[in-house]
Amino acid sequence: MGDRIRIVSLIPSATEIVAALGLGDAIVGRSHECDYPLEIKDRPVCTAARLNSEAPSQEIHQNVNNILRSALSIYEVKLDVLEALKPTHIITQDQCDVCAVSLQDVEAAVAKLTQSQPQVISLQPNSLSDVWRDIERVANALGVRSLELIEDLEARVKICQQKTAHLSVEELPTVACIEWTDPLMTAANWIPELVAKAGGQPLFSVSGQPSPIITWDTLVATNPDIIIFMLCGFGLQRTRTEAIALKTHPAWEKLKAVQHQRVYITDGNSYFNRPGPRLVDSLEILAEIVHPEIFDYGYKGTGWELL
């Protein structure tokens, strides 16, 4: 059966879902951002970005808005590559126009294909349970079982919850998760839910909702116990650079999290920004950061560091 299935995954989280379901070998094409598991890096790339991710944060933000305003997508689908690959299934998303190729673009590309008529599977995760449902939908579309994988992931989530369940409200620190630095944006969607399960009180963001922009005044007034940088699309190194740049802000030293040395950077690109199986790793990273007295999973140094 694996011979017949030819999957093109146009979003990193879907690539991870397919691999976790045991179908990594059936992935024949990927997006330019798919980088995990490592063995998929040799697959042909089917998308390209229209913007420079090395630019400063504010410039990236402006470029994104300009491209979206001109009704263009931030990414383009490489039709010739897609045509040559003859996929049976294409997985994409309609959750965020900034994160990956949009469903609209994929449908437009598929309509032009002459060699194949692939089934398009579109993911739209806003919460942890949505991610389980997405895993199930992908598994069903590809004809494999998902129960063992989902049960394993849910069991790990439960362990975290059980270890923080006895804590009183006073023992639950307030946590601000920063998703972008210029403008300042806080992480939403599944992140507030993960913070709560890790034994923290999420600030600013509402579960299942898009990420809001906040002001420095709001950050200072709310004065979180812990600040965690999980910048969209950035690994540890770039996140450290971005976070250090904020130290020059006049309000920086006023923050309780700064005074108590509870400011952290994470590899947002590998973990928090990707609604796939590694959201459970993200939960475990949060648990280690928020309650080091309870958790030690060993992610320090690779998944997160103290700023």
Side-chain angles (χ1 to χ4, degrees), residues 7-82:
I7 304 161
V8 166
S9 171
L10 298 181
I11 174 169
S13 56
T15 300
E16 296 190 25
I17 288 171
V18 172
L21 288 168
L23 288 173
D25 290 346
I27 297 175
V28 294
R30 62 178 176 97
S31 81
H32 62 286
E33 293 185 314
C34 294
D35 56 8
Y36 187 90
L38 292 177
E39 58 267 21
I40 63 102
K41 284 212 172 171
D42 61 357
R43 311 298 151 85
V45 174
C46 305
T47 58
R50 285 198 173 102
L51 54 85
N52 170 20
S53 60
E54 303 298 316
S57 292
Q58 190 182 11
E59 198 180 305
I60 294 175
H61 183 74
Q62 281 169 341
N63 291 346
V64 163
N65 286 342
N66 292 342
I67 293 171
L68 291 176
R69 259 202 299 277
S70 61
L72 265 178
S73 301
I74 296 169
Y75 308 99
E76 48 192 321
V77 180
K78 296 181 176 179
L79 199 63
D80 53 336
V81 180
L82 216 51

Side-chain angles (χ1 to χ4, degrees), residues 108-287:
V110 167
K112 293 184 189 135
L113 293 178
T114 58
Q115 298 296 314
S116 59
Q117 279 301 298
Q119 178 188 346
V120 177
I121 307 160
S122 186
L123 310 182
Q124 199 179 12
N126 297 304
S127 68
L128 212 46
S129 57
D130 289 346
V131 175
W132 307 154
R133 271 196 292 276
D134 280 346
I135 292 174
E136 205 176 341
R137 278 177 48 217
V138 170
N140 289 345
L142 301 174
V144 293
R145 290 170 57 87
S146 59
L147 191 65
E148 290 88 345
L149 175 60
I150 294 170
E151 280 181 347
D152 174 53
L153 294 170
E154 285 183 326
R156 287 165 60 197
V157 171
K158 215 175 210 155
I159 289 169
C160 271
Q161 278 181 290
Q162 283 167 342
K163 287 190 172 177
T164 57
H166 65 282
L167 299 173
S168 65
V169 173
E170 293 74 43
E171 294 173 292
L172 304 175
T174 55
V175 182
C177 295
I178 308 293
E179 186 176 277
W180 200 250
T181 55
D182 191 5
L184 214 50
M185 294 174 84
T186 58
N189 294 308
W190 46 84
I191 297 295
E193 186 183 355
L194 294 183
V195 170
K197 288 183 194 313
Q201 297 181 58
L203 296 175
F204 308 119
S205 302
V206 181
S207 283
Q209 294 295 313
S211 305
I213 292 179
I214 61 162
T215 63
W216 270 91
D217 290 347
T218 306
L219 186 63
V220 173
T222 318
N223 213 357
D225 296 317
I226 296 173
I227 295 174
I228 304 172
F229 288 91
M230 43 182 73
L231 304 183
C232 201
F234 294 161
L236 273 180
Q237 233 174 330
R238 174 82 193 253
T239 301
R240 181 178 289 282
T241 308
E242 295 283 329
I244 285 174
L246 295 188
K247 286 185 168 185
T248 57
H249 195 283
W252 180 258
E253 295 297 334
K254 293 183 194 156
L255 294 164
K256 188 173 18 173
V258 174
Q259 293 162 2
H260 293 171
Q261 292 184 314
R262 297 215 68 184
V263 182
Y264 305 89
I265 56 167
T266 67
D267 182 346
N269 184 48
S270 293
Y271 298 103
F272 300 92
N273 314 155
R274 286 195 190 184
R278 286 198 290 176
L279 276 192
V280 179
D281 302 44
S282 309
L283 169 61
E284 292 169 349
I285 289 170
L286 283 173

